[in-house]
Amino acid sequence: MKNNWIWGLLLILILQSCGDGKVEKVNESPAESVAAKAVPKFNADSAFQYIKKQVDFGPRVPNTEEHKKAGAWLQQKMASFGLEVSAQEFIAEAYDGKKLELNNIIASYRPEAKKRILLAAHWDTRRVADKDTERINEPIDGANDGGSGVGVLLEIARVISTDSLKPEVGIDFIFFDGEDDGKPESSKGGTDDAKWWCLGSQYWAKNPHERGYSAYYGILLDMVGAKGARFYKEGVSLQYAKGILDKVWSNAHQIGHSDFFQMRGSHAITDDHIPVNEVARIPMIDIIDYSPDFGFGRYHHKHSDNMDVIDKRTLKAVGETVLFTLYQE
Ligand code: AHN
Ligand code: ZN
């Protein structure tokens, strides 16, 4: 009986601490942020498996059987999510005169929606390991450079199509082909070097999958899975789509990924967002693992760009940030 007051006191303390917790949480978020709409869970294990599946096909070098098989799997996967899939097959010439059989893969969520967001990544991998010291003329796995962007987008597509929470916007996923066949290090230095990269996005920007296609904005993912990755505000994105860049980086910070998304600018990078910005005139940012101090990651265009470089924490940071952004639009 005499213990009753102790239990009472304990109960009051528990109730108080619960209340305090709630108030503190509200105070933690930055002053300018508004209540966020609910976002389904991004599964980094699933994204990791999608990368492994691509790597298991072998290097996705244009004009190879591995490339063809991986492309067919990508289309089938997006169709299995209930998306409207189309393939854009074309021939492009490489820096060495080789004719490349390329295939841009487009998958649309809610094709009837007016307000649309374009999400892109390249799905081809590099035919040489020109930054390596050995087996320079052999193709790389491209787990990060090629595999990771596609893996994150596949997981986003899976979540959007299977979860009961749906975004309000329509979404177009584009897997660009022929991004990574630019001149090797040994023959670099010409004035035309830039034009041999990004063959798929160059083609699509001139020949969109739908006449007069446009989107509210675009997000390109390139090398978004490496351990210790850091994403800076890339130069071309700053020039054409600073508002989007600031919004996405601020979202990343709001949900706890400030380690990955650095509030600092970096150099302009030749990538698939250039034709999208300059030719298709859709503002598009590039989330890319490139540091203003150290350049590309140590794995870049080397055989070490394999599954060992992939870290689920990086996939989670990028996946959650993009998914959060989509669900707030
Ligand atoms: C440069 O090497 C400057 N741009 C190529 C961008 C790239 C290659 N992204 C992935 N692989
Ligand atoms: Zn590359």
Side-chain angles (χ1 to χ4, degrees):
M1 268 308 166
K2 64 179 175 186
N3 276 347
N4 270 358
W5 68 272
I6 297 183
W7 287 115
L9 193 66
L10 217 62
L11 187 67
I12 289 168
L13 283 172
I14 290 168
L15 287 173
Q16 266 184 346
S17 67
C18 289
D20 280 347
K22 269 181 192 156
V23 171
E24 260 174 31
K25 259 195 185 141
V26 172
N27 288 342
E28 265 169 22
S29 49
E32 73 271 18
S33 74
V34 285
K37 292 197 187 120
V39 183
K41 183 182 146 43
F42 177 91
N43 187 337
D45 296 316
S46 169
F48 185 92
Q49 286 309 317
Y50 289 141
I51 300 171
K52 182 167 187 307
K53 177 79 184 182
Q54 293 171 76
V55 169
D56 286 346
F57 279 108
R60 282 80 69 214
V61 175
N63 296 6
T64 67
E65 210 47 46
E66 294 82 355
H67 177 266
K68 249 185 215 76
K69 283 184 181 152
W73 173 76
L74 275 177
Q75 290 177 54
Q76 170 253 311
K77 208 69 208 166
M78 292 306 251
S80 80
F81 297 142
L83 305 180
E84 194 177 283
V85 179
S86 63
Q88 191 173 53
E89 294 187 23
F90 60 100
I91 308 276
E93 196 181 318
Y95 63 88
D96 58 353
K98 200 168 183 172
K99 300 281 189 287
L100 306 176
E101 292 172 33
L102 302 181
N103 185 12
N104 290 332
I105 297 163
I106 302 121
S108 299
Y109 168 74
R110 289 225 294 140
E112 74 286 355
K114 282 277 159 304
K115 183 176 178 181
R116 314 198 61 74
I117 297 194
L118 175 55
L119 300 179
H122 75 91
W123 71 275
D124 63 305
T125 56
R126 191 149 174 79
R127 62 164 126 153
V128 288
D130 51 327
K131 286 188 178 171
D132 215 323
T133 51
E134 54 181 27
R135 296 190 288 125
I136 287 174
N137 292 317
E138 292 175 32
I140 60 172
D141 281 358
N144 198 37
D145 192 357
S148 65
V150 171
V152 168
L153 292 189
L154 281 171
E155 172 56 11
I156 289 174
R158 186 195 68 79
V159 167
I160 284 167
S161 3
T162 58
D163 203 278
S164 56
L165 292 172
K166 303 290 184 193
E168 277 180 29
V169 286
I171 301 165
D172 299 298
F173 297 88
I174 306 194
F175 299 135
F176 289 124
D177 203 351
E179 188 275 341
D180 223 350
D181 201 37
K183 282 186 189 170
E185 292 291 312
S186 59
S187 53
K188 251 170 54 175
T191 50
D192 69 343
D193 283 7
K195 77 175 201 186
W196 303 112
W197 301 96
C198 309
L199 300 176
S201 52
Q202 290 190 54
Y203 182 86
W204 178 83
K206 285 185 208 136
N207 311 279
H209 60 292
E210 257 175 53
R211 196 160 45 85
Y213 175 83
S214 195
Y216 181 36
Y217 63 82
I219 302 177
L220 173 66
L221 305 183
D222 194 3
M223 299 184 273
V224 291
K227 184 172 178 354
R230 291 292 176 265
F231 307 109
Y232 294 84
K233 296 183 174 182
E234 182 272 336
V236 177
S237 315
L238 273 170
Q239 185 189 338
Y240 290 106
K242 183 173 186 302
I244 314 305
L245 203 46
D246 290 345
K247 172 158 69 179
V248 171
W249 258 244
S250 142
N251 285 344
H253 281 232
Q254 195 179 322
I255 62 174
H257 299 311
S258 52
D259 288 355
F260 289 93
F261 289 80
Q262 300 282 310
M263 291 297 186
R264 186 182 157 196
S266 82
H267 308 97
I269 304 294
T270 301
D271 212 344
D272 289 322
H273 62 324
I274 295 188
V276 175
N277 275 299
E278 295 186 349
V279 179
R281 303 226 164 256
I282 297 167
M284 179 181 243
I285 65 163
D286 191 7
I287 302 180
I288 183 166
D289 184 10
Y290 178 94
S291 149
D293 302 318
F294 309 113
F296 291 113
R298 283 191 302 274
Y299 56 82
H300 190 238
H301 295 174
K302 292 182 185 164
H303 292 293
S304 54
D305 185 354
N306 57 32
M307 284 313 288
D308 295 340
V309 91
I310 303 298
D311 186 334
K312 290 174 187 172
R313 285 172 295 188
T314 307
L315 298 173
K316 180 172 147 75
V318 174
E320 286 184 353
T321 297
V322 175
L323 206 54
F324 181 89
T325 301
L326 291 174
Y327 276 72
Q328 306 314 305
E329 295 297 355

